[in-house]
Amino acid sequence: MLRSNRQSGISDWDGMRYDFVCPSPTHYPFQWFWDSAFHAIALLHIDPELSRQELRCLMQGAQSNGFQGHMLLWERDAHKRWLNEEYSIRLAHPFYTATIQPPVVARAVERIFEVTGDKAFVREILPPMVRFFDWLARVRDPDDDGLIAIIQPDESGLDASPKYDKAMRIPYDPPTHTLPALQQSMQRLFDAYKGATAEAQPLLDVFLFEDVMVNAIYADGLRALARLSRAVGAPEPDRFERASQRTLDALMAKCWDADAGLFWDLSGVAEERARVLTFTSLFPLILPDLDAAVAKRLVREHLLNEKEFWLPYPVPSVAASEVTFDPAWQTKTTWQGPTWVNVNWYLYWGLRAHGFDDIASELARRTVAMQARGGIREFYDPFTAEGYGATDFGWSCLSLDLIAAETSG
Ligand code: GLC
């Protein structure tokens, strides 16, 4: 499947050569930023050269100021209809978007390095990665608290998550919850951003989310940059380590709710806690430096809670205790209840980092069982394992990494 999702050729974009795995040929024909990082990890178990190729292609989208768009439109003309029908695309350039996605790429490079020991590849790919992390710190942390902000829901990759409803002014309206309202609301954001520079957009405060999942991935990426820089003798490993610690400290100081035993995203300049329970609230578990007592509460009180996340096929994108929880995809939109494999992949490694090996193994086992039932789909019903959304969905192949981790001990 990863091979058949592969797209290659020469683009009208400056005649650049592209060669990457698209998320789904029928649903998502372009190169997406966090998808490609996940694809690179899955590809490691097929052919490490394809992993490197995936990220080399992605990095061709790196701009000299550090910015990287969340979609690279290599074959733009072939998919014009797709672009015209998509309501949430904001372009910075004919061939890439003005939107970002979580910086999973550093973790992917670290995984490639662990498996291949290829220092030359790390040296080649570090500079554009570092420039992107620096761009995030410079442009997306206007209050300089160590937490970066997203300025539209798609930037977390969690597009229609109900945790954004309040900030997007979307009323709860089942069963078609969000799609039409989201389109309107997105237009409101885009109108506000029109004409403003990338630097000025976060300052407008029309949608400014310090998202816990995004910041956990950011802190994890900074740690990966530190380790990679140290391994190849590149400059400034300590700077990345300090920045990672600062983000974790800020998550603890601002997002941790000691009464509830979980983390909340912060909305707007006022940093209002967005109290909608989604898997995001558990995500700092992916950070090995997270305090062990905090990790334990996340796991014991929430991940393993059968009323919230520990369903037959965990981990649902929205807790079963939320009114917006839509496990069977009635809303026909994303991130409103079904289980996604990339979430399970991150949490699997987080559980292992904190010594919950048995729970990690059980999560891996149920993830693979879910796919045996539901196929390789975009997301799954957490009760029945029925697959929904895109078919032949690339990052669902992350289960290859889980299987390899489980079988190699
Ligand atoms: C959907 C997902 C997003 C992903 C994209 C391509 O929009 O919500 O996270 O990157 O599809 O797979």
Side-chain angles (χ1 to χ4, degrees), residues 271-284:
E271 299 190 326
E272 184 192 341
R273 288 184 167 186
R275 294 175 182 275
V276 176
L277 187 55
T278 71
F279 74 93
T280 293
S281 289
L282 315 179
F283 225 69

Side-chain angles (χ1 to χ4, degrees), residues 175-207:
T176 57
H177 182 59
T178 68
L179 209 50
L182 189 61
Q183 288 171 4
Q184 266 181 22
S185 201
M186 206 65 117
Q187 197 50 52
R188 178 179 67 90
L189 305 191
F190 292 176
D191 291 346
Y193 294 146
K194 214 169 268 165
T197 61
E199 285 74 12
Q201 287 162 8
L203 306 174
L204 298 173
D205 195 18
V206 288
F207 178 96

Side-chain angles (χ1 to χ4, degrees), residues 23 28 32-35 70 101 154 156-160 334-335 340 378 393 395:
Y28 303 112
W32 266 262
F33 192 69
W34 76 333
D35 295 67
H70 92 303
Q101 261 187 343
D154 289 2
S156 65
L158 311 178
D159 316 0
T334 51
W335 303 101
W340 295 67
E378 192 175 1
F393 190 67
W395 84 42

Side-chain angles (χ1 to χ4, degrees), residues 143 145-148 209-216 246-267 271-277 280-284 290 294 298:
D143 58 359
D145 63 353
L147 299 174
I148 55 168
F209 238 75
E210 291 171 312
D211 184 299
V212 169
M213 183 204 73
V214 172
N215 280 285
R246 183 162 180 251
T247 299
L248 174 54
D249 291 346
L251 282 168
M252 283 308 300
K254 293 188 158 186
C255 305
W256 171 244
D257 177 342
D259 294 331
L262 39 75
F263 292 83
W264 300 115
D265 295 345
L266 307 176
S267 178
E271 299 190 326
E272 184 192 341
R273 288 184 167 186
R275 294 175 182 275
V276 176
L277 187 55
T280 293
S281 289
L282 315 179
F283 225 69
L290 182 70
V294 170
L298 294 175

Side-chain angles (χ1 to χ4, degrees), residues 299-300 303-304 310 348 351 356-364:
V299 174
R300 299 271 171 229
L303 180 66
L304 295 180
W310 204 246
Y348 171 87
L351 285 165
F356 297 102
D357 289 20
D358 292 349
I359 301 166
S361 294
E362 181 59 14
L363 180 59

